[in-house]
Structures are given as C-alpha cells and as structure tokens.
Amino acid sequence: MSTILSSLKLQLPEQTSLESYPFNLNWIPTLNKLLFNSKVTFFIGENGKGKSTLLEAIAVSLGFNAEGGSKNFGFFTRNTHSSLHQFLRLARNKPVTGNSFFFRSESFYNFASEVDRLDSEPAGSPFIRDSYGGKSLHMQSRGESILALVMNRFNKDGLYLLDEPEAGLSVASQIAIMLKIEELALAGAQFIIATHSPFLLALPNAEIYSFDSDEISLIEYQQTMQFILAKRMLNDKNYFNSH
C-alpha cells in the first residue's frame, strides 16, 4: 500500500543566505531529497534542530493552516511560521484528502478556541465538535483533548502531520495513541510525527529520521537517544545521579 506523500525536495535559490533562520539549520545545505517509504515516519532530534520547522513547512506547503487543523481551518493568531515551505517540492502518490490534519502542540489551544467559536455561530450543519467526540476540547484536560482528536477525528484515509503529540499525555495515553496510529496506518493512513517520546518511537515498521547531525538520516529505534536514555533510567533509576 503506497504512501500519500512519497518524498520532498528542497530547492533553494543559489543566492540564498545560510546565515539566518531557518536556512542556518545544520541540515539545510545537505538536504536534497527526503523519502517517505513507511506509513509512519518520525522526526527526532534535540531542541532547536529544526524537526518541527520542517514539519510545519510540509504542512503549509500542502495547504494546511500554520496553526493547525484541517485544510478547512484558516484562523490566525500570529504569523510566526518560516518561509521554508516556499522552497519545498512535494511528491504525492494520491491526493491529500479533507480527512487529513496538522496537529501542533503549541497552538492546539488556539485550534480548540476556533472550534468553539465556529460552533457558537448559527449554522445548519452539525457541530464541529461532534467530529472530536461531541465535547468541547476546552472542557477536557490537555491530554483528554488530544486523545479525543486522535481517537475520533483521525481515520484510514488521511495524512496526519503531528508535532509533539505526546505533550500533556501520560505514558498510558502515549501507548494508546501509538496503538491507534498503528491501526490507522495499517488501514491506509499516513503519519509524519515530530516527537521526543520513546513510547511513540517504538511503533513497529516506522522509519525514524534524526536531525542531530549535519544531514537528516535514518536511524534504528535502539540507536535513538530516546531509547538509550529511557532504558538507562528504567534499568537504574539512580544512573544519572551517579554520573
């Protein structure tokens, strides 16, 4: 079963300065083509390495609102997204359907507010919140609202771009979301996820791209710092206190 988004290319003009953000990110000079061969792709790396920046650029290039939501959402709080999307060339095997969604942790509050605003206006259509479990996302905890999104809104036909979906989630909830992602991916959905979670990264058959060097490269789960550090802590809770 083919992926929806198959690859991306970065094509910068020759005169582009690499001294300012986002073009000063360490992997920019070496990024030519990035393949998406798996139904689930993870972006990992330390803070400030640009994984969320690339995910945002993919989303904006595909027509998603920079603050998150489906393609039908156009709300605006503050224009902070980079210009990187202007230089991406995306290859698709099939169209990005209306079921698709861009989730970004930092602006999910704004998205929930927009859903409530739209539902407060007179309309002949069902409430938007019905697609998210029937309850206002603001009337739930942060973790509950993220679970409501994934469990109710996501389906087998969509492309889902998720920026740190583990934020606010318990370990049990992270595992529940991992299992839901696996179920939907096997049914046809595609996920590209920027994360720090060793639990999400454990999803079978996923590809993991590391942003921690001068080139975005594939890495095995057992080689990730998320796995290594979590394993050390679980094996010896005093490991970091004694080193």
Side-chain angles (χ1 to χ4, degrees), residues 103 105 141-148 150-151 164-178 181 197 199-200:
F103 169 89
S105 177
S141 72
R142 180 178 179 83
E144 287 174 325
S145 64
I146 296 171
L147 281 169
V150 175
M151 298 301 181
E164 300 185 6
E166 72 273 14
L169 293 181
S170 69
V171 171
S173 293
Q174 290 182 50
I175 294 172
I177 281 185
M178 181 198 71
I181 290 172
S197 170
F199 305 103
L200 293 182

Side-chain angles (χ1 to χ4, degrees), residues 30 38 40 56 104 125 136 164 171 187 206 223:
T30 61
S38 173
V40 181
E56 172 194 81
R104 59 186 314 164
S125 57
S136 168
E164 300 185 6
V171 171
Q223 297 174 325

